[in-house]
Amino acid sequence: SDASLYSNHLQQAFGNLKLNQLTTWQVRDLMHRKVANGLAKGTVNRMLCLTRHLFNLALEWEVPSLTKNPAKGIRTFEENNKVERYLTPYEALALKHALNESDNASLKYIVSFLLVTGARKQEALKARWQDIDFHANVWRIPLAKSGKVRYIPLSETARYFLQLIQAHNENALGPMAQTCPYLFPNPSTLKPFSSVFYAWNTARIRAGLPDVRIHDLRHTWASWHRQAGTSCDELKDLGGW
């Protein structure tokens, strides 16, 4: 995403300038022009954050002649483009078929696990077997987004998918599956996937759902809980909000 923002926007606007030639006025002007031309405020805000980060690094590395960060002090736009998207049963079925055709054989298990646990993407990608307690039917997340340990109850459906994940890993990794600590290891490195965006993007487009984000699986999980009668307070605890 950073590389795309840079090449499609920042490089085109400022690529002919030296670092010490860029002014705060030019950065602010670009942000306002991008919004005026229809770019989402959230995207423009990320563009501003990237610019600020680039110059912070340049200052940290003591790039000659650079004395200030031109993006410092520029306020971000207030974002009103938050969208909560849910999968309908028909869409979930279409996505299932697309996932079965994915080149990433682990993706369908990752998506299924997210849908039945309501976990965040990084929580699932970094999940370890040692944190799954099959006796207590609970998954312990050592360091959640809140900075605290949290626990996710494992439903019968979640336990079923965990068994499918174990079988998939044994088939994909062979004897190494016994010593690999992760639920969803990259078969090439035996480490967690750093990103599954390319495979996910391919699958959602194939399913006719180009606007569905991985985070929308969490919204879908929450929606299913509300339809089943789970109270808002219970849902808040289950989801770690």
Side-chain angles (χ1 to χ4, degrees):
S1 296
D2 287 344
S4 176
L5 286 174
Y6 176 77
S7 62
N8 292 324
H9 301 284
L10 299 179
Q11 188 177 32
Q12 290 182 13
F14 307 136
N16 62 333
L17 298 176
K18 295 181 179 180
L19 288 175
N20 62 359
Q21 292 178 321
L22 187 61
T23 67
T24 299
W25 182 89
Q26 288 172 305
V27 176
R28 184 182 288 113
D29 180 64
L30 177 67
M31 303 302 119
H32 284 274
R33 282 193 287 110
K34 290 295 182 181
V35 170
N37 290 333
L39 203 62
K41 291 181 179 179
T43 302
V44 176
N45 285 341
R46 286 190 290 276
M47 193 188 310
L48 174 62
C49 291
L50 175 59
T51 304
R52 186 180 297 131
H53 182 61
L54 290 172
F55 276 88
N56 281 338
L57 286 176
L59 289 168
E60 179 183 333
W61 297 336
E62 299 181 345
V63 171
S65 301
L66 184 65
T67 59
K68 66 176 184 178
N69 187 335
K72 183 178 181 180
I74 299 178
R75 297 179 62 180
T76 56
F77 292 102
E78 182 176 351
E79 297 181 33
N80 297 313
N81 56 346
K82 182 177 180 182
V83 177
E84 290 198 356
R85 177 75 158 80
Y86 309 95
L87 287 175
T88 67
Y90 174 80
E91 290 174 334
L93 185 61
L95 182 60
K96 176 184 176 182
H97 290 315
L99 290 169
N100 284 333
E101 299 176 12
S102 175
D103 292 336
N104 185 335
S106 298
L107 184 63
K108 64 180 180 181
Y109 299 104
I110 295 171
V111 170
S112 298
F113 192 63
L114 290 171
L115 278 172
V116 298
T117 62
R120 298 178 176 90
K121 178 183 66 176
Q122 287 301 322
E123 291 173 341
L125 292 182
K126 296 176 181 177
R128 301 175 300 177
W129 289 110
Q130 68 184 53
D131 296 320
I132 304 291
D133 189 335
F134 285 99
H135 298 290
N137 292 330
V138 69
W139 169 25
R140 177 182 181 272
I141 300 177
L143 188 61
K145 186 177 181 180
S146 63
K148 301 177 182 179
V149 174
R150 80 181 184 99
Y151 298 87
I152 293 182
L154 297 174
S155 64
E156 184 177 343
T157 304
R159 287 172 57 88
Y160 167 73
F161 276 109
L162 284 169
Q163 292 172 356
L164 292 182
I165 293 165
Q166 283 180 318
H168 166 69
N169 287 349
E170 290 172 1
N171 182 59
L173 304 179
M176 291 186 293
Q178 300 299 321
T179 57
C180 183
Y182 300 104
L183 270 66
F184 305 108
N186 184 324
S188 300
T189 64
L190 298 186
K191 299 293 184 180
F193 286 98
S194 58
S195 173
V196 292
F197 177 77
Y198 178 79
W200 165 258
N201 191 46
T202 301
R204 67 178 179 175
I205 291 174
R206 183 178 290 157
L209 305 169
D211 63 321
V212 175
R213 306 160 300 173
I214 286 185
H215 192 69
D216 293 327
L217 302 176
R218 184 165 156 85
H219 295 159
T220 301
W221 167 86
S223 175
W224 289 348
H225 262 284
R226 290 295 292 136
Q227 293 175 39
T230 303
S231 71
C232 289
D233 287 339
E234 289 175 319
L235 191 56
K236 182 179 178 181
D237 290 336
L238 289 171
W241 282 289

